[in-house]
Amino acid sequence: MKFVHVGINVTNLEQSIEFYQKVFGVSPVKVKADYAKFLLESPGLNFTLNVRDEVSGNQVNHFGFQVETAEEITAHKERLEKEGFFARDEMNTTCCYAVQDKFWVTDPDGNEWEFFYTKTDSEVHKIEDTACCTTSKEEKANSCC
């Protein structure tokens, strides 16, 4: 397999292209009036934006990038904050049977993206005081990472 493919629905192609150019750090390889395609070599991802009249956001819970080091979390967080994003961070959190450092950003249609580094496994699914496993800043969800 060469690429994982993810296609999402968006309501504003221009805003979404701008968001994903900043998150991925590359420009799309194809742009049409109702479509854009990004190809990322690392991780191997074929990611497309498909324009729809209405999108209710987070239809798939969330998306994420697992990184290899804790330093990568800091580097990506600083890079995206410089781009003007608010990064909601969760450092040293227990979630999804693992202890992780992570942060989240949200695209223009409400899809959440998690950048995370797994420090170690845990026998506990999550610690209730953590914001992990939320669908929004205010509401808890039953699913997780």
Side-chain angles (χ1 to χ4, degrees), residues 65-123:
F65 293 105
Q66 183 172 6
V67 300
E68 294 186 51
T69 68
E71 292 78 20
E72 285 182 82
I73 289 294
T74 302
H76 284 293
K77 184 174 183 281
E78 288 174 357
R79 176 180 66 83
L80 291 171
E81 285 176 337
K82 285 179 185 173
E83 291 285 358
F85 294 114
F86 167 75
R88 175 173 51 93
D89 65 306
E90 299 175 24
M91 299 302 165
N92 206 39
T93 187
T94 300
C95 179
C96 309
Y97 297 99
V99 178
Q100 303 170 337
D101 283 346
K102 63 174 75 181
F103 72 90
W104 302 79
V105 293
T106 305
D107 82 0
D109 287 296
N111 293 298
E112 290 189 302
W113 283 84
E114 168 191 35
F115 287 73
F116 68 99
Y117 168 67
T118 300
K119 296 177 174 184
T120 187
D121 287 332
S122 170
E123 294 301 316

Side-chain angles (χ1 to χ4, degrees), residues 15-29:
Q15 284 181 345
S16 295
I17 288 172
E18 182 179 342
F19 175 86
Y20 285 105
Q21 281 182 150
K22 292 175 180 176
V23 169
F24 297 150
V26 298
S27 296
V29 296

